[in-house]
Amino acid sequence: MKPEPARTMAAANAPLRDHYATVRARSLQLIAGLTAEDCMVQSMSDASPLKWHLAHTSWFFETFVLAPLRGYRCFNPAYRMLFNSYYVGVGERHARPARGVLSRPDLAQVLAYRQHVDDALDTVLQGALAADATALIELGLQHEQQHQELMLTDLKHHFWCNPLHPAYRDSTGLSAPPAIGAQWLRHAGGNTEIGHAGPAFAFDNETPRHPVTLAPYELANRLVTNAEYAVFIADGGYRQPTLWLSDGWDCRQREGWQAPLYWLDAAGKRAFTLYGDQPLHPTAPVSHISYYEADAYARWAGARLPTEAEWEQAADTSSTAPDGTPSLAPQPATGEGLTQLFGTLWQWTGSAYLPYPGYRPLPGAVGEYNGKFMINQMVLRGSACSTPPGHARASYRNFFPPAARWQFSGIRLARDVG
Amino acid sequence: MKPEPARTMAAANAPLRDHYATVRARSLQLIAGLTAEDCMVQSMSDASPLKWHLAHTSWFFETFVLAPLRGYRCFNPAYRMLFNSYYVGVGERHARPARGVLSRPDLAQVLAYRQHVDDALDTVLQGALAADATALIELGLQHEQQHQELMLTDLKHHFWCNPLHPAYRDSTGLSAPPAIGAQWLRHAGGNTEIGHAGPAFAFDNETPRHPVTLAPYELANRLVTNAEYAVFIADGGYRQPTLWLSDGWDCRQREGWQAPLYWLDAAGKRAFTLYGDQPLHPTAPVSHISYYEADAYARWAGARLPTEAEWEQAADTSSTAPDGTPSLAPQPATGEGLTQLFGTLWQWTGSAYLPYPGYRPLPGAVGEYNGKFMINQMVLRGSACSTPPGHARASYRNFFPPAARWQFSGIRLARDVG
Amino acid sequence: MKPEPARTMAAANAPLRDHYATVRARSLQLIAGLTAEDCMVQSMSDASPLKWHLAHTSWFFETFVLAPLRGYRCFNPAYRMLFNSYYVGVGERHARPARGVLSRPDLAQVLAYRQHVDDALDTVLQGALAADATALIELGLQHEQQHQELMLTDLKHHFWCNPLHPAYRDSTGLSAPPAIGAQWLRHAGGNTEIGHAGPAFAFDNETPRHPVTLAPYELANRLVTNAEYAVFIADGGYRQPTLWLSDGWDCRQREGWQAPLYWLDAAGKRAFTLYGDQPLHPTAPVSHISYYEADAYARWAGARLPTEAEWEQAADTSSTAPDGTPSLAPQPATGEGLTQLFGTLWQWTGSAYLPYPGYRPLPGAVGEYNGKFMINQMVLRGSACSTPPGHARASYRNFFPPAARWQFSGIRLARDVG
Amino acid sequence: MKPEPARTMAAANAPLRDHYATVRARSLQLIAGLTAEDCMVQSMSDASPLKWHLAHTSWFFETFVLAPLRGYRCFNPAYRMLFNSYYVGVGERHARPARGVLSRPDLAQVLAYRQHVDDALDTVLQGALAADATALIELGLQHEQQHQELMLTDLKHHFWCNPLHPAYRDSTGLSAPPAIGAQWLRHAGGNTEIGHAGPAFAFDNETPRHPVTLAPYELANRLVTNAEYAVFIADGGYRQPTLWLSDGWDCRQREGWQAPLYWLDAAGKRAFTLYGDQPLHPTAPVSHISYYEADAYARWAGARLPTEAEWEQAADTSSTAPDGTPSLAPQPATGEGLTQLFGTLWQWTGSAYLPYPGYRPLPGAVGEYNGKFMINQMVLRGSACSTPPGHARASYRNFFPPAARWQFSGIRLARDVG
């Protein structure tokens, strides 16, 4: 008798079905209050229109979960190309810098597409599921959460490029608590392991768990603040090439950087936020800085950035819950020990984004998810105020090119011991 | 007693008031059937969103007619910068390539802005008007007509860049009449005059009327057809550098041109139009070609392009009414004599866009309207199927850089005599 | 009896043989005092190494005169491609921006190549010559004279890009005479003719002579001086966009222009010259300016640039001999009437470089000499201190893109009358 | 009694003095047979003229060793800027892409500059030396050896860009031995150390020695051959994006890569070498490939690139002597065990060029030597046929951006065990 592939029973899918509903609903909540026009802006090649994010996340489920199923009726065959991001294994793609020209399909049609996919997925989730289908649905939800963060990240840039500096959300009632002082926290290093293991979900780039050897090191208990960063600027941080990596200085010159991306003045008095132009809290962490700036700041401060192994070792015993009040702007640090690990800002590490020893990408076209980007990027750890709830873990590897500034990134300092 | 500036009586303004209402209403008719999203697309730096056109044409009236008036309440002070196209005399401008990021103001607000301007203008038009105000309002209407043509021109490009190739209008009932054969029509040349004179409206670049001396010449009775152009392509027209200007060949290589802009195949069977993808009529004139292509075609055909003086002399005795049925696609030629002068396609001339002898730009910031663009462009004459009714005259000087292809441009051949 | 093509007798070639010897020798005189390394510099794509000029001018004779002759032994077949400038009718070309990488052939080999060509040409010139061969040899000599001017023009740029600012020639004994004041000289305009006619040599672009009609106009009796240009700068000439053409202002912004190309300070105290860094004579004409700058200066001065027809009509009765002492730097004006027409600086006109009515390029690959560049360039008239003796005439049409500054260009003002 | 800084006695300097003489002489040997013109070519921004290398290596000694000494007479103050490569701590620099315009100083002057520096250094070496001076001289010699390799690397590119493909050296007598087959050699991994320790010279980027933990792995016993790489090409290696990193594929598309840099055909029959165009030995290692190509090849072969720690662990017990006959072209592998570690081709690793844990750059401006380049580059290990004798060690870290191909780079495969 031929063995059957492992299948969950329909009843066992209930938690996944709930998770699906919750995650998908949140994407729609994110566009509440926005116009169809707002959802179509593409302010640069790196940032996509919100409408595109809504469509592409549906495309992911359609392409990898639904399309292989017998009897699935494709919503619109043109979407296969139109909303493919970068999967060459799936076929042609609409050019990334031209995502903003897609007035058609309009937002209403994209929402209908989402509903179509949700309906089909719901039918699937009411039946028995093969293990790989379950895995792909789970991957699709994690993928959608990543795009939820990108929606906020990109929208901030889209609105920033509009001289009117529209506010995404109302800032009424926002307040910043007094912040804690900076301290060095010592870690022993030694032989340890990093990377994900176990049955819970993780992206392929977090695996396999593997041994590393670390020298003793110290990490700052909180992120670098706006006030601290303003001192760096006032001290000539953006005028002194010896503080910078060579490529970083070229970039600073070419781009004319004089302060973090969204600052409205070099003193850090005001900045653009998802709440519109706002006063900048001196004790809130400096945000939207590139690796080059983080690295230059650390050198100026007589410190360095942590490696991802150091960061993960230190974080491994911490909760992944954010410290403070939920907000779409990073908040000052409070509390004891290693604060602001999650829910505030992604933290640049000094580690290049490369495969872990023994890394294997997923089979098939989803294998393009992570592996092919493992060059010319640096790892960021933690999570940010823009990260969806439940989407953080100590082994999570985020990554951006060293010049990127539009993501919610900040600085945690490290230094050698002895 | 101090002399009063000449003023029209309110009653005398009635024709202008009608003209104002008619022209302004037509801009709104152009967006009928389009979504707010459609009106926000910017597919390249040269082309602007339709919403921007709607706002900018209102900005023109507000800035040059209304703002100087005591008591005028500005709709939104930010618009002064946001919808300024290129008038440095007025102040800062929003960057042209970033017009597509302006989800705010949304279309509804832009329409409210139009209404606000219309209301204020109507009040003005009900009073007595100084001569310069009348002239500025007339200029504003001609300006708006130019932007109406750009709305169609730009929309065609916007929709072309969407792989779905949306149709702007329904093609039902479109049909192409049989076309006439090509003939050379002889013109005597000699001492003549070109340029505008008289009280009717003309742009400053059409003046002053001045003498020119022309050798005898011949003009083709109609524009070059798609079928004729397909022969040029089949004969290696895009592969033979000796047919091209040096800059033209560089451009063809860099851009990879192999056919006119909107052709879907090199044989000219199908093309993208404002009616969506359509069969191409062999006898319809070839359209959306650059100066470089027009010049190469003419060289291949043993002919040349007419000068603007030749064109104007030949056209001076013709009606400015289009030959055929109104359509948003250029139609085949019919009739006797010099056909397709107006209402089909703009016709490249071999003349550089430079000031006429004795040219004086308008005083003040509106002096930037034409004069500062008199370099690196070639003159086109006539008018196109995209040109608003009533906006054509023999002295009209349109102009584009030699590499531009998105405008409704075609080829009329000329040759020397004897 | 079959008619023979017209042929000169060998004795009749003596003047051409002398001319050949004189012109060819002068190219070598130009590199006296330079090293082989100096002759290899290519400081930008627009400027070629002097060694390349020496080889290319020989290539011209070899390709168009010698190669078609039975029995001619090619010096090195690889040179056909290596030293072809832009003649696609001849075949492939070495990329223009990479001319500076050609260490091989070395200078000695290029000089041997010249000798080889000279020897073969001399044999040809000692026999009977068909009329077209005579014409091609004459063309080759005029071509070489153009490259002699380019050698000085390019060398100045090459040395300018070396921070040591080497001097090409010793400035001992250079002195500037006191200059004359500026005056407007009136010209009647009317029906006239421009262009070359008659048996003497002219480039195809100077023909045919043809009628033009001119309104009365005035020309400045001399070129704009350094002192006058410094006033324009001090008055904000480079900071006021309304003085500039739109493309010109973009160019000024992009390139960061604040003064003419070789000025060492914005006040015009010192400049780089072929004599090294030197004090700038206030009364000497301002040089190395683009069309954009010339046009902006003229607008600021309440004047304009002359058309090429105006310039030629005014110059038609003048001698083509330079006014002053031969020098490699433009000298102040002296004398009466229209001065500095020749031998000082090329003078921008407001005319685009386009074919004259009835223009026909030469047959064959030499037809690429001029015609294919008739777009995106403006005409300059006269000649410069860098122009070889005997290479000036009133009908001569020089041309450069409006942004070019490395050529010896200056400003003569014109204005309308009445 | 005040303690004296440690100083060597003059006699103790004899070995350093010999080393100095030997290394400096070798630079001159490298230009034997080249013209001054050859030494001035700069074919791209990344590659410098040989004359510049000769001057810059002298500048290094002058700036860091001689200039601080009382009484040293600077050869030419302008050289401080002219031949500074990238040391912003030293001051301004001549722009890198413009090194090829420096006809002055000519080669003779640069050789005189070398002599001047050698004379002054020799005087210094005959006296007592402080320890830091000794270290700087040793650094200067290692620096000069690096530039010796660059001279060959750059010259190959310079000559490649000349369509004549000149030969640098005579290939008479070159022959390739039969090559060995490919084998996997197993390494145990485990806890080990990498990095330099001890008194012998090493660059700062090789330190400090530190523990690493490695899983078991296998390395190929020799480099990938031309024949093997030709199979990859024939199998569509350059047409299949799923084999490539995303940035790599973009690069391949943009640059039009279809084979290794110097191959003359896609089948690998012939290639350009320092001996001119030559037949390519199928068994010789494939060379001049980018990281992107190495990575794609490895993926196609079901393998991966080694990490630098794996490479160094495996090499740590090997001799640094090259395997085969000295040659300026990489030779086929011979022998047992891990062959071609040194003296054949640099070998891409999968490790990013980042600081070792505890890394400290040298103090002062020489601290810019390595540290500021630690971003966007990948490490290569071993040494090449272009590397000077005596300049190889197991801990040596070479580095290039992943798109670079002009260096002598090859592929050694690795794979996981179990």
Side-chain angles (χ1 to χ4, degrees), chain D residues 23 26-27 30 52-53 56-57 60 86-87 138-154 201-206 346 353 369-370 373 386-393 396-400:
Chain D
V23 169
R26 189 170 180 278
S27 296
L30 287 174
W52 185 90
H53 286 295
H56 167 68
T57 47
F60 191 95
Y86 54 66
Y87 295 87
E138 182 57 36
L139 179 63
L141 293 172
Q142 297 278 342
H143 172 257
E144 182 134 359
Q145 288 181 308
Q146 292 188 310
H147 279 275
Q148 287 170 0
E149 174 153 3
L150 286 174
M151 287 170 75
L152 292 170
T153 305
D154 291 356
F201 177 85
F203 288 110
D204 57 9
N205 63 8
E206 302 169 52
W346 293 97
Y353 180 51
Y369 199 105
N370 279 311
F373 300 110
S386 48
T387 310
H391 192 71
R393 56 190 167 272
Y396 201 105
R397 304 176 81 198
N398 200 350
F399 50 90
F400 279 94

Side-chain angles (χ1 to χ4, degrees), chain D residues 303-329:
Chain D
R304 59 171 174 83
L305 302 176
T307 64
E308 59 173 328
E310 288 169 342
W311 195 99
E312 184 169 335
Q313 186 194 41
D316 247 347
T317 55
S318 303
S319 154
T320 58
D323 303 329
T325 328
S327 160
L328 292 172

Side-chain angles (χ1 to χ4, degrees), chain C residues 168-191:
Chain C
Y168 168 59
R169 291 290 181 250
D170 180 6
S171 66
T172 309
L174 285 185
S175 71
I180 59 175
Q183 285 185 305
W184 288 109
L185 301 180
R186 179 158 186 162
H187 298 271
N191 288 318

Side-chain angles (χ1 to χ4, degrees), chain D residues 355-367:
Chain D
Y356 280 168
Y359 167 71
R360 288 284 172 275
L362 296 173
V366 286

Side-chain angles (χ1 to χ4, degrees), chain B residues 86 88-89 191 211-215 240-242 244-249 291-292 299 304 350-352 354-355 357-360 368 371-378 402 416 418, chain C residues 86 88-89 191 211-215 240-242 244-249 291-292 299 304 350-352 354-355 357-360 368 371-378 402 416 418:
Chain B
Y86 54 66
V88 298
N191 287 319
V212 292
T213 309
L214 298 177
Q240 180 49 267
T242 53
W244 294 66
L245 290 166
S246 181
D247 282 4
W249 184 251
Y291 178 82
Y292 294 132
R299 190 168 292 110
R304 61 172 173 81
S351 299
L354 291 172
Y359 167 72
R360 289 283 173 276
E368 298 180 52
K372 73 180 182 183
F373 300 109
M374 291 179 170
I375 191 73
N376 301 329
Q377 312 216 51
M378 301 301 284
D416 298 334
Chain C
Y86 54 66
V88 297
N191 288 318
V212 292
T213 308
L214 298 177
Q240 181 49 268
T242 53
W244 295 66
L245 288 166
S246 181
D247 282 4
W249 184 251
Y291 178 83
Y292 293 132
R299 190 167 293 111
R304 61 172 173 82
S351 299
L354 291 173
Y359 168 72
R360 289 284 173 276
E368 299 181 51
K372 74 180 181 184
F373 301 109
M374 291 179 170
I375 191 72
N376 301 329
Q377 313 217 49
M378 300 302 284
D416 299 334

Side-chain angles (χ1 to χ4, degrees), chain B residues 330-404:
Chain B
Q331 296 299 302
T334 56
E336 303 283 314
L338 261 181
T339 68
Q340 296 180 319
L341 285 168
F342 299 98
T344 303
L345 290 171
W346 293 98
Q347 299 153 45
W348 285 108
T349 73
S351 299
Y353 180 52
L354 291 172
Y356 280 167
Y359 167 72
R360 289 283 173 276
L362 296 173
V366 285
E368 298 180 52
Y369 199 104
N370 279 310
K372 73 180 182 183
F373 300 109
M374 291 179 170
I375 191 73
N376 301 329
Q377 312 216 51
M378 301 301 284
V379 171
L380 300 98
R381 290 304 195 101
S383 68
C385 56
S386 47
T387 311
H391 193 70
R393 55 191 168 269
S395 62
Y396 201 105
R397 305 176 80 199
N398 200 348
F399 50 90
F400 279 94

